[in-house]
Amino acid sequence: MNTHNHHDVLIIGSGAAGLTLALSLANQAKVAVLSKGALNEGSTWFAQGGIAAVLDNQDSVEAHVADTLDAGAGLCHEDSVRFTVERSKAAIEWLIEQGVEFTKQQGGDDYHLTQEGGHSHRRIIHSADATGKAVHSTLIERIIAHPNIDVFEHHIAVDLITEPDHVSRQLRVSGAYTYNRDTECVSVFQAKSVVMATGGASKVYLYSSNPDSACGDGIAMAWRAGCRIANMEFNQFHPTCLYHPKAGSFLVTEALRGEGALLKLPSGERFMDKFDERGELAPRDIVARAIDHEMKRLGSDCLFLDISHKPEAFITEHFPTVKARCLEFGIDITRDAIPVVPAAHYTCGGVVVNQNGQTDLQNLYAIGETSFTGLHGANRMASNSLLECIVYAKSAAEHIASSLSSIPTPSAAPAWDASRVTDSDEDVVISHNWDEIRRFMWDYVGIVRTHKRLERATHRIKLLQKEILEYYTNHKVSNDLIELRNLALVAELIIRSASQRKESRGLHYSLDYPKQAAVARDTILVPTNFAAQAIFVHN
Ligand SMILES: Cc1cc2nc3c(=O)[nH]c(=O)nc-3n(C[C@H](O)[C@H](O)[C@H](O)COP(=O)(O)OP(=O)(O)OC[C@H]3O[C@@H](n4cnc5c(N)ncnc54)[C@H](O)[C@@H]3O)c2cc1C
């Protein structure tokens, strides 16, 4: 059955970015929010640390800007950094107005602020160690209660719908084809403005801290529709994720290393001191690189993080969550070393947007992890990402609200045509290709890259994309097929971006080009159907 849904604004994604936008617009517009799983199945729910903002009198916008620029290794766009940081206090105030309960100082009314790597001041506001859950559950409650917001769970957007704009003589986006996971049908969603808030693409790697939704769908859809994509080579890896076939994505907090946990080879030997004089306390990217190096050298599936030399009472008091989670898999961290691998954690690149969240296509916006605003440069500073979600959702909302009345109602889009495809005959094609992409991306385009590895990856992705396209053209779509097609495209964009960068900078490290180039440049990929439409940003 093919249904048509009409709204003023279609938001694809229900994380911090999508929900903030929905709530900011819903008093003026009829809004649809799509979520490919349940509403809380994005990265937002899992965020632990907190949100960076200038909230303390001792802190300043200048200091937050300087720290972010420093972390970004010369590639941040200072205007975007300033734009974000200047709005950080208002973003937090808005979250508090929505009802988010942040942790307060013991016995006081002031909020407790923590400090994380790269930040020169205490500026991370948080809700204990589960900030994402506190923010997300509050926003979810609010959108469910709002009469102007229609929520569609288990709906995965497949592709954008475009139509000609007769005034500008350019294409404008007017909706999306959407597959309903429950009914297995594709419907048409149309709206005057469409917003991509689909999160990152870290699932393209074998090991990831992200939930299953992070396939880069929005980046792939925007590229296919004709938008530029930038800086996809900058993938942030968290050094220690629990390695167990049934553990899913569980981060082992850096605080363990802070309290003396040691990284060890399978033989029990320490190795970090060979890589950095700070040993286990070296910055995240150095630790991740060292683990990757040793795993590749030894052909080992994982390495080990050991805190068992500390008193049992200390471990239990400080790390109850890690202890409990590991025990579920038979690992007693008071006695055993924890098997760990680094894991893809954050996608710094994405769909090129300006400060209103506008993409290259008329009426199409991108916000949150799926977008490229220029804030993160070559390395995201901890806790700046949720901030970016809120700030850009708010600025996109303002821009959409001011332009809706001048946008014509979209013309009726053609229904999805499934008349020439057959049922999938062999789902093993999908599962095999899915695994193969994630494995070779890990081995060849992961934490440490070389020219040869990237060449191998280029060769592999071309073959796989041919096979996936052939399968997609001839068979009915399914959730896994939609995600696989996007994952393959995002993998291609990462490989192309990494191959173009002939230097090591921030999160991109190449053994063939270990030095940083004198001039910092973004890697901007331009699709063949790119029509210079909304002319503004970052050239
Ligand atoms: C374990 C972990 C800890 C983190 N800790 C922090 C932290 O402390 N501080 C911080 O600032 N950042 C942190 N981050 C990063 C931060 O959580 C994310 O960058 C941020 O939540 C992204 O929000 P988002 O709204 O862009 O996307 P998400 O929250 O990932 O939401 C994406 C949404 O898009 C939907 N979606 C995707 N594709 C489709 C499609 N095709 N059709 C329909 N819907 C779709 C998904 O269902 C989901 O609803 C952490 C991330 C992880 C994984």
Side-chain angles (χ1 to χ4, degrees):
M1 196 184 45
N2 219 310
T3 51
H4 278 66
N5 295 277
H6 294 274
H7 293 83
D8 295 322
V9 183
L10 171 63
I11 301 171
I12 307 173
S14 63
L19 298 191
T20 300
L21 182 80
L23 287 168
S24 306
L25 271 174
N27 291 338
Q28 305 141 74
K30 189 82 189 148
V31 176
V33 175
L34 305 184
S35 174
K36 70 177 170 182
L39 279 177
N40 64 356
E41 276 177 28
S43 287
T44 299
W45 188 266
F46 298 94
Q48 297 169 351
I51 310 177
V54 180
L55 301 167
D56 187 85
N57 290 340
Q58 305 295 313
D59 195 6
S60 68
V61 166
E62 286 313 315
H64 191 167
V65 167
D67 294 345
T68 305
L69 294 177
D70 192 40
L75 258 193
C76 296
H77 297 197
E78 190 168 342
D79 54 345
S80 310
V81 178
R82 213 162 268 289
F83 179 82
T84 311
V85 173
E86 281 170 356
R87 286 158 182 75
S88 62
K89 189 161 186 260
I92 301 300
E93 284 167 355
W94 181 81
L95 286 173
I96 293 169
E97 269 166 38
Q98 303 311 302
V100 178
E101 290 188 9
F102 291 109
T103 301
K104 295 201 168 156
Q105 307 269 18
Q106 235 177 4
D109 273 343
D110 290 345
Y111 288 104
H112 180 259
L113 303 174
T114 58
Q115 195 167 350
E116 289 182 333
H119 292 273
S120 58
H121 287 76
R122 284 188 168 265
R123 63 168 75 102
I124 318 297
I125 189 162
H126 61 103
S127 297
D129 63 350
T131 307
K133 194 169 163 190
V135 169
H136 212 179
S137 54
T138 306
L139 298 183
I140 287 173
E141 246 175 57
R142 304 271 308 181
I143 65 150
I144 287 174
H146 203 295
N148 255 357
I149 303 176
D150 293 335
V151 171
F152 298 86
E153 289 182 298
H154 309 288
H155 279 66
I156 174 165
V158 185
D159 262 321
L160 293 166
I161 300 169
T162 54
E163 62 179 58
D165 182 285
H166 297 298
V167 179
S168 66
R169 294 172 178 268
Q170 290 164 346
L171 282 183
R172 65 168 182 243
V173 172
S174 59
Y177 290 107
T178 298
Y179 175 82
N180 181 329
R181 284 171 162 186
D182 299 328
T183 64
E184 301 184 357
C185 291
V186 177
S187 355
V188 174
F189 277 77
Q190 290 199 273
K192 291 179 171 183
S193 295
V194 177
V195 185
M196 295 289 195
T198 47
S202 291
K203 272 282 156 182
V204 78
Y205 288 101
L206 183 60
Y207 302 115
S208 167
S209 66
N210 286 201
D212 287 342
S213 59
C215 302
D217 292 350
I219 295 170
M221 282 188 273
W223 173 262
R224 283 194 294 268
C227 295
R228 289 171 302 159
I229 305 293
N231 284 6
M232 289 300 289
E233 68 274 39
F234 296 112
N235 316 103
Q236 190 170 65
F237 291 84
H238 193 284
T240 53
C241 202
L242 176 62
Y243 177 73
H244 188 280
K246 297 210 172 119
S249 317
F250 181 71
L251 281 189
V252 182
T253 166
E254 283 180 53
L256 252 86
R257 280 181 284 127
E259 295 299 340
L262 301 173
L263 279 162
K264 293 182 175 171
L265 302 177
S267 63
E269 188 192 335
R270 275 186 72 194
F271 60 93
M272 266 317 299
D273 43 353
K274 289 189 211 130
F275 292 86
D276 193 286
E277 58 188 19
R278 289 162 288 188
E280 278 77 2
L281 297 180
R284 251 186 207 187
D285 49 336
I286 294 177
V287 178
R289 238 177 267 149
I291 297 177
D292 182 71
H293 176 88
E294 290 300 311
M295 281 175 64
K296 285 207 170 77
R297 185 176 70 81
L298 299 168
S300 177
D301 287 337
C302 65
L303 297 186
F304 294 88
L305 184 65
D306 193 355
I307 193 156
S308 62
H309 52 280
K310 291 275 174 185
E312 188 171 337
F314 174 88
I315 298 172
T316 307
E317 188 196 335
H318 284 259
F319 304 109
T321 315
V322 179
K323 187 181 169 204
R325 184 74 174 144
C326 288
L327 264 183
E328 286 173 32
F329 305 105
I331 304 157
D332 178 355
I333 68 169
T334 64
R335 291 162 212 276
D336 310 320
I338 309 166
V340 290
V341 283
H345 189 52
Y346 187 80
T347 309
C348 291
V351 185
V352 175
V353 295
N354 67 3
Q355 287 178 351
N356 299 319
Q358 290 172 279
T359 69
D360 291 325
L361 280 166
Q362 258 184 328
N363 305 342
L364 180 68
Y365 297 75
I367 51 173
E369 194 170 334
T370 210
S371 67
F372 168 78
T373 63
L375 170 67
H376 305 299
N379 195 356
R380 173 193 72 127
M381 190 166 69
S383 293
N384 265 351
S385 36
L386 281 171
L387 175 63
E388 185 187 42
C389 288
I390 313 295
V391 167
Y392 279 84
K394 299 220 80 60
S395 65
E398 269 174 39
H399 192 265
I400 291 170
S402 68
S403 49
L404 270 182
S405 63
S406 62
I407 303 173
T409 305
S411 2
W416 181 260
D417 181 6
S419 61
R420 277 166 297 190
V421 291
T422 59
D423 281 331
S424 160
D425 49 359
E426 288 206 291
D427 281 353
V428 68
V429 174
I430 297 175
S431 57
H432 175 89
N433 286 339
W434 181 278
D435 290 344
E436 191 174 339
I437 291 175
R438 297 184 69 209
R439 163 68 68 183
F440 81 69
M441 286 298 289
W442 182 260
D443 287 338
Y444 298 154
V445 201
I447 298 167
V448 177
R449 293 150 183 182
T450 66
H451 181 62
K452 242 193 191 150
R453 287 180 192 162
L454 291 174
E455 263 188 0
R456 286 192 192 116
T458 306
H459 180 64
R460 292 264 194 316
I461 198 66
K462 275 189 190 150
L463 292 175
L464 283 174
Q465 277 189 305
K466 208 166 151 232
E467 194 171 306
I468 292 164
L469 180 65
E470 196 263 337
Y471 202 83
Y472 183 83
T473 315
N474 293 310
H475 296 93
K476 280 190 186 150
V477 288
S478 65
N479 184 74
D480 289 351
L481 182 54
I482 294 164
E483 288 189 341
L484 174 66
R485 176 179 174 238
N486 292 334
L487 209 71
L489 177 50
V490 167
E492 183 208 323
L493 299 176
I494 296 174
I495 298 164
R496 280 174 59 181
S497 306
S499 304
Q500 284 186 24
R501 188 163 291 282
K502 309 285 188 216
E503 63 164 343
S504 290
R505 181 185 294 276
L507 299 166
H508 173 79
Y509 185 77
S510 165
L511 288 178
D512 295 312
Y513 305 100
K515 295 213 173 103
Q516 188 167 300
V519 182
R521 284 187 210 288
D522 291 323
T523 307
I524 300 188
L525 301 179
V526 182
T528 47
N529 56 345
F530 173 72
Q533 326 216 22
I535 315 295
F536 30 87
V537 261
H538 317 316
N539 288 303

